[in-house]
Amino acid sequence: MYTLGKPGYAVAAGVSPASSSNSQPTRLPLQTAAIFCLYELVNSATFHFVTKFELRHEDCIEGMSPLADESVDVVVTSPPYNLGITYGKYSDRQDRQSYLRWCHEWAEQVRRILKPTGSFFLNIGAAPSNPMLPHEMVIELRDLFVLQNTIHWIKSIAIDTLLEKTEMSDPHLNPLSVPPGRDPNPGAKRRVRVESTTRSYGHFKPISSKRFVNDCHEYVFHFTKTGRVELDRLSIGVPYQDKSNIARWSHTRGSDLRCRGNTWFIPYRTIQSRAKERPHPATFPVQLAELCIKLHGPAGAGRIQTMLDPFLGIGNSAVAAQRCSVKRFIGFEIDESYLTEAKRRLALRNQ
């Protein structure tokens, strides 16, 4: 069970709120921020500190300005895409150059506060009729960051599956899956019958067009200051499909875990009411932010002390930070209704 400290207040870890002389929590200095923490209820009189949240109703450029240089380990965010999406308090219809200049402005602050070993994960999508925006963003930021990795967030995919039936159990006897020259028993008699079917997974927004196909993916650009930041690739690793690879390849060191790669299939969770369950027109799943955090390095082991999201929205990045035991999370949001929803979701997650 968890409880939320009052906005603008915090209780020291391991100290009961009632233990002070006036039975009031200690007042923290605030500007325009709403700061609160999550605590784990250890017993009836003791709280154990988990994550400190500083969720601020403030423009991100103004909000980041007073933050110390090189004080943030990880930034995970998704800015408005300038594609005409209807937000509550933001116009998503700037001219292209004005939008890119604005992105450069807030990205300058991100660079300033990011540690030399930090990672900046930027999620951005496009529209079929406007496909160059993500690439123009990368070009706009190239004087600030090095693009170290390009990750493709797959929201929906159709897979042609092969249903294979054979009397032989060795996976290498499937002629459709063995690379040339790698079949250990090329003379073996095969009794394989293959049936094909197509299955669709995930969710997407369909479009009606004779020119464009449905857009089922977005980008996650991994920026760093040097391009040489080491990552914990196996923290989000996946098992080998062909277990013989474990012994064949020395770099596995006997572990059934390989790098996930740069294609991440993360479908949206099915919901019944967008207004109640996802009251924001453009959000990424919590799991997407979790994978970014884990890829940078284990937060629980202390590598990630502070995480920041300049465009908090309804708080999915904050939820991911809490799940990954990030010590401090800072988020900025100009729409008070989105900020209220973010706080509500954080509270509900821990009741």
Side-chain angles (χ1 to χ4, degrees), residues 265-286:
F265 173 55
I266 308 173
Y268 280 112
R269 182 176 59 87
T270 301
I271 59 176
Q272 302 301 319
S273 170
R274 185 180 185 89
K276 293 181 179 179
E277 300 177 68
R278 196 186 298 147
H280 188 283
T283 61
F284 52 70
V286 172

Side-chain angles (χ1 to χ4, degrees), residues 5-9 28-30 33-37 52-56:
K6 296 181 180 179
Y9 292 82
L28 293 179
L30 294 181
I35 302 177
F36 59 92
C37 302
K52 178 182 179 182
F53 288 97
E54 301 175 28
L55 307 186
R56 308 184 181 189

Side-chain angles (χ1 to χ4, degrees), residues 60-261:
C60 67
I61 297 176
E62 296 176 0
M64 287 188 284
S65 296
L67 297 180
D69 294 354
E70 299 182 352
S71 59
V72 173
D73 299 285
V74 173
V75 175
V76 180
T77 196
S78 182
Y81 296 171
N82 203 42
L83 297 175
I85 296 174
T86 303
Y87 294 94
K89 300 293 183 180
Y90 174 81
S91 175
D92 199 40
R93 294 184 183 276
Q94 301 183 54
D95 69 84
R96 181 60 58 89
Q97 292 306 313
S98 296
Y99 171 76
L100 291 174
R101 284 195 298 269
W102 171 71
C103 289
H104 194 280
E105 187 177 356
W106 59 256
E108 288 176 2
Q109 288 294 329
V110 171
R111 176 180 169 79
R112 182 184 62 80
I113 64 178
L114 191 67
K115 293 180 180 178
T117 57
S119 287
F120 169 29
F121 294 93
L122 175 65
N123 164 229
I124 188 166
S129 59
N130 190 6
M132 291 303 296
L133 175 62
H135 311 288
E136 291 177 349
M137 176 75 83
V138 172
I139 294 173
E140 182 70 23
L141 303 186
R142 64 183 175 180
D143 64 326
L144 300 175
F145 298 100
V146 176
L147 179 59
Q148 185 165 322
N149 288 284
T150 298
I151 298 163
H152 303 270
W153 165 29
I154 308 302
K155 297 184 284 187
S156 177
I157 190 170
I159 300 177
D160 293 327
T161 59
L162 299 178
L163 305 179
E164 304 155 4
K165 297 182 179 180
T166 178
E167 297 178 7
M168 314 182 85
S169 59
D170 190 333
H172 288 285
L173 296 184
N174 178 4
L176 298 179
S177 65
V178 181
R182 294 281 294 278
D183 192 338
N185 192 4
K189 184 178 180 181
R190 294 170 174 79
R191 299 184 182 91
V192 180
R193 179 166 57 90
V194 178
E195 298 175 357
S196 177
T197 184
T198 301
R199 296 182 181 179
S200 180
Y201 302 88
H203 300 273
F204 63 92
K205 184 178 181 179
I207 61 174
S208 178
S209 172
K210 293 184 177 180
R211 295 186 296 154
F212 306 118
V213 296
N214 290 326
D215 190 11
C216 300
H217 103 294
E218 294 186 13
Y219 293 95
V220 178
F221 295 122
H222 172 225
F223 292 107
T224 62
K225 289 184 173 181
T226 64
R228 297 188 296 272
V229 173
E230 293 187 2
L231 303 174
D232 190 1
R233 303 194 313 163
L234 295 187
S235 67
I236 59 171
V238 295
Y240 284 98
Q241 182 175 2
D242 183 350
K243 304 305 181 185
S244 67
N245 288 330
I246 301 172
R248 181 183 301 116
W249 293 335
S250 60
H251 68 266
T252 67
R253 298 180 180 178
S255 173
D256 183 15
L257 205 61
R258 66 167 179 84
C259 175
R260 179 181 294 264

Side-chain angles (χ1 to χ4, degrees), residues 13-77:
V15 178
S16 167
S19 63
S20 60
S21 58
N22 58 3
S23 298
Q24 294 293 325
T26 303
R27 183 71 169 177
L28 293 179
L30 294 181
Q31 296 176 355
T32 59
I35 302 177
F36 59 92
C37 302
L38 289 180
Y39 302 92
E40 180 179 1
L41 185 59
V42 178
N43 56 48
S44 59
T46 303
F47 290 93
H48 173 65
F49 179 81
V50 177
T51 301
K52 178 182 179 182
F53 288 97
E54 301 175 28
L55 307 186
R56 308 184 181 189
H57 182 213
E58 189 174 13
D59 175 81
C60 67
I61 297 176
E62 296 176 0
M64 287 188 284
S65 296
L67 297 180
D69 294 354
E70 299 182 352
S71 59
V72 173
D73 299 285
V74 173
V75 175
V76 180
T77 196

Side-chain angles (χ1 to χ4, degrees), residues 236 285-295 319-321 323-324:
I236 59 171
V286 172
Q287 186 186 357
L288 183 70
E290 281 189 89
L291 291 179
C292 293
I293 296 169
K294 293 175 181 178
L295 179 62
V319 173
R323 288 182 181 177
C324 294

Side-chain angles (χ1 to χ4, degrees), residues 55-57 312-313 333 335-343:
L55 307 186
R56 308 184 181 189
H57 182 213
L312 180 65
E333 177 53 54
D335 191 311
E336 190 170 8
S337 64
Y338 295 158
L339 185 64
T340 299
E341 175 63 16
K343 295 176 184 178

